[in-house]
Amino acid sequence: MLLFDADNATVTRNTFVGAGTDIGIAVSAGSTGARIAFNRVTRTPSTNPDNTDPTGIGISVGPRPVNSATLICNTFDGWNQNIDGAIQIACTPLPDGTECVPYSASAPTVEGNAAPPLRWRAPPGTLPPGLTLARNGTISGTPPDTTAGTYRFRLRVVTADNLIATTVQRITIAPGCVDPTPEPGPSPTPEPTPTPPTPTNQPVVSTVTSDRRVPPGQPFHDRIRVSGLAGNQAAAAVARLYGPFESRAAATCDDRFRVRALALQVRNGSNRTTPDIRIDTAGVYTWRVTLLADADNKSATHRCGQAAETTVVAKPAFVAPAVIGGFSGTLPGFDRDRRLDPSATIEMPGIGMRAAVQRHGIVGRKMTLPGDVGDVGWLRRSAGFGDMIGTAVVGGHVSDRHDRPGAMFNLRRAHAGQRITVTQAGERHRFKVVEKTTLDKRQKLPDRFFATTGKHRLVLISCTDRVVTSGGHFHYTRYIVVVAKQVHRHR
């Protein structure tokens, strides 16, 4: 199969079979953003005795940066070389673990042009509590008590020459923190076992988060208040943090959304807070604390998702910049023309837009834009495409200095219901247009298009309403803004 000058192509869940084939899947001639996933690529020996079979590559990706592809869980058979010009993380599952039992496992094998050293990473807070990921790919540690559950996380690896691959893994932690079994000895004469009394005392627990809003990566914690413990004795408790959610109303204290579990001892009154934690993924998070039952006290907890125990992790708010997309001149910026890491593409079939996405910032209260009018810029101070909250802002040129079409030339044709897809690191983030408006460029763009909290949105901004003077010069007098809502993924 040949991908020739094919942007954002998807090849998934196919079986390719050939006798003596040189290349199973070839990505070439400026094909970018390809997603090749879950295919079986096989071949049998050539039946032609004159064919010396010199090549034999399962998937071949042409030279970067004009060609790029994300490979996920493809399998190979019968090739001299499975992958060339790219890498893929083998879809080998990681072993499960047990509470209170030391855990150690190596990251899956990296296939393809994996030039060492390899650098591994997982988003903070996604591994099971007690486990850490070393840069060499070793996952180790000891899961503490009360952390049983299944943890789903994304592994990312970067080679020495900056090839990138990602994969989704999961580790299930089984309950296992029990007292050691004593050595067997002489069997004593059995005596009647008294039935322990059922605790009747009902304590009360409430919590208050330390911060209602923090930027990603900034520490926060939970403050715990307890009343009614019998005898003013210490009791065991577990503080769990759940998220990310798009709003407090959507919060649920289900194990699928648990990102932290912290064991601690509490007493009546205001207790020492939980240890500080740091969360990098934007969204709404909520605490829930449970007191464990003992001989004197019943178990106690509180309602999930209360305002006092909810923290919003979001990028800081910022003043809406101007987005000058009427021609190809760009502002000098420290982050000019840098591709997202990993690269992203945006596609809007309803207006014929397909473009590479670059990372851009704000200089002099104006958003910098790509020098190539065929590309668009993502405002890095805005929300990410896969975030649960906030607005991801994308700006682009309508044309160049000679009024030749840019990436957003046809944005004026956008209308409600059209679909937009952003592909990044093999993941597709889907949106549906809900609003289109134009605004006088002499006025400041409304802050609502740049919100870092609230429902997740995608906003596209360019220029429209061209004016041509008698001397043949032109300029654009209005902004055009298209707003799209997220098409929800099932978790």
Side-chain angles (χ1 to χ4, degrees):
M1 179 176 184
L2 174 63
L3 299 182
F4 187 90
D5 192 20
D7 290 338
N8 303 318
T10 297
V11 182
T12 183
R13 302 189 187 281
N14 299 288
T15 298
F16 298 91
V17 180
T21 306
D22 284 342
I23 299 175
I25 301 174
V27 181
S28 63
S31 298
T32 60
R35 182 176 185 269
I36 304 173
F38 303 101
N39 299 287
R40 180 164 179 76
V41 188
T42 66
R43 75 166 185 168
T44 55
S46 173
T47 57
N48 183 355
D50 297 327
N51 185 352
T52 58
D53 199 15
T55 308
I57 299 173
I59 297 178
S60 175
V61 181
R64 294 178 293 159
V66 294
N67 301 284
S68 64
T70 299
L71 310 186
I72 303 173
C73 291
N74 299 285
T75 58
F76 305 88
D77 186 39
W79 301 97
N80 297 336
Q81 181 178 346
N82 290 338
I83 300 171
D84 181 58
I87 60 172
Q88 170 182 278
I89 301 174
C91 285
T92 306
L94 290 169
D96 294 330
T98 303
E99 292 175 341
C100 299
V101 176
Y103 180 97
S104 181
S106 297
T109 303
V110 179
E111 304 167 319
N113 302 98
L118 304 181
R119 305 187 303 273
W120 290 87
R121 188 168 180 254
T126 57
L127 290 171
L131 301 189
T132 59
L133 172 65
R135 287 173 67 87
N136 66 3
T138 300
I139 301 174
S140 61
T142 302
D145 195 5
T146 72
T147 57
T150 298
Y151 297 81
R152 187 172 181 269
F153 54 92
R154 182 171 298 279
L155 284 177
R156 178 174 181 268
V157 66
V158 182
T159 68
D161 51 356
N162 289 319
L163 288 174
I164 298 169
T166 64
T167 187
V168 174
Q169 284 279 356
R170 66 181 181 183
I171 296 175
T172 296
I173 303 299
C177 291
V178 296
D179 294 331
T181 303
E183 291 293 330
S187 299
T189 303
E191 296 182 2
T193 303
T195 302
T198 302
T200 58
N201 188 64
Q202 181 63 68
V204 176
V205 60
S206 61
T207 72
V208 177
T209 188
S210 61
D211 298 86
R212 294 297 181 89
R213 175 172 173 165
V214 297
Q218 178 172 308
F220 65 101
H221 54 261
D222 198 25
R223 302 186 183 100
I224 304 169
R225 184 171 181 81
V226 178
S227 63
L229 283 175
N232 197 28
Q233 298 296 313
V238 181
R240 297 180 175 92
L241 183 69
Y242 299 88
F245 307 104
E246 65 177 17
S247 66
R248 187 167 66 86
T252 175
C253 293
D254 186 290
D255 278 347
R256 293 175 300 158
F257 302 100
R258 185 177 64 189
V259 295
R260 289 289 193 280
L262 306 170
L264 61 161
Q265 295 286 315
V266 296
R267 295 179 179 273
N268 282 331
S270 296
N271 287 263
R272 185 175 64 84
T273 61
T274 64
D276 281 340
I277 64 166
R278 300 172 189 267
I279 298 293
D280 287 343
T281 303
V284 176
Y285 295 81
T286 192
W287 290 97
R288 192 179 203 184
V289 173
T290 300
L291 303 186
L292 306 182
D294 57 25
D296 299 314
N297 300 286
K298 294 182 178 180
S299 177
T301 188
H302 51 85
R303 187 164 53 89
C304 178
Q306 299 183 84
E309 56 214 17
T310 298
T311 294
V312 177
V313 177
K315 293 181 177 179
F318 59 95
V319 176
V323 184
I324 310 301
F327 56 93
S328 64
T330 59
L331 295 165
F334 53 87
D335 54 357
R336 181 183 180 196
D337 290 355
R338 287 176 55 194
R339 296 295 176 96
L340 286 174
D341 181 19
S343 61
T345 56
I346 186 169
E347 184 173 5
M348 189 174 178
I351 65 169
M353 181 177 72
R354 284 193 307 182
V357 184
Q358 300 180 9
R359 184 193 307 267
H360 277 263
I362 298 173
V363 176
R365 298 186 179 180
K366 295 180 181 180
M367 178 180 173
T368 64
L369 291 177
D372 184 343
V373 300
D375 292 349
V376 297
W378 165 69
L379 184 58
R380 65 179 186 179
R381 295 181 65 175
S382 70
F385 298 115
D387 285 356
M388 294 293 295
I389 61 173
T391 301
V393 178
V394 173
H397 293 292
V398 62
S399 65
D400 67 10
R401 290 185 183 276
H402 302 289
D403 210 25
R404 291 172 295 209
M408 292 193 175
F409 185 77
N410 291 322
L411 195 59
R412 64 187 184 279
R413 290 166 41 193
H415 60 77
Q418 289 179 328
R419 298 299 178 113
I420 304 172
T421 301
V422 178
T423 304
Q424 183 179 10
E427 287 195 39
R428 293 178 179 241
H429 309 288
R430 295 177 172 86
F431 302 86
K432 183 169 70 173
V433 175
V434 295
E435 177 188 350
K436 180 178 73 174
T437 188
T438 65
L439 301 160
D440 192 328
K441 282 182 63 178
R442 294 172 296 182
Q443 305 297 320
K444 175 177 171 291
L445 282 165
D447 288 338
R448 70 182 180 94
F449 295 134
F450 301 87
T452 56
T453 59
K455 290 186 176 180
H456 190 41
R457 292 284 188 268
L458 173 66
V459 166
L460 309 181
I461 303 175
S462 190
C463 294
T464 188
D465 284 20
R466 184 184 63 172
V467 173
V468 181
T469 66
S470 58
H473 299 287
F474 70 91
H475 65 278
Y476 290 86
T477 61
R478 297 183 70 81
Y479 290 115
I480 182 168
V481 181
V482 171
V483 181
K485 71 176 184 180
Q486 184 183 30
V487 177
H488 287 285
R489 301 161 294 176
H490 296 291
R491 292 190 62 173

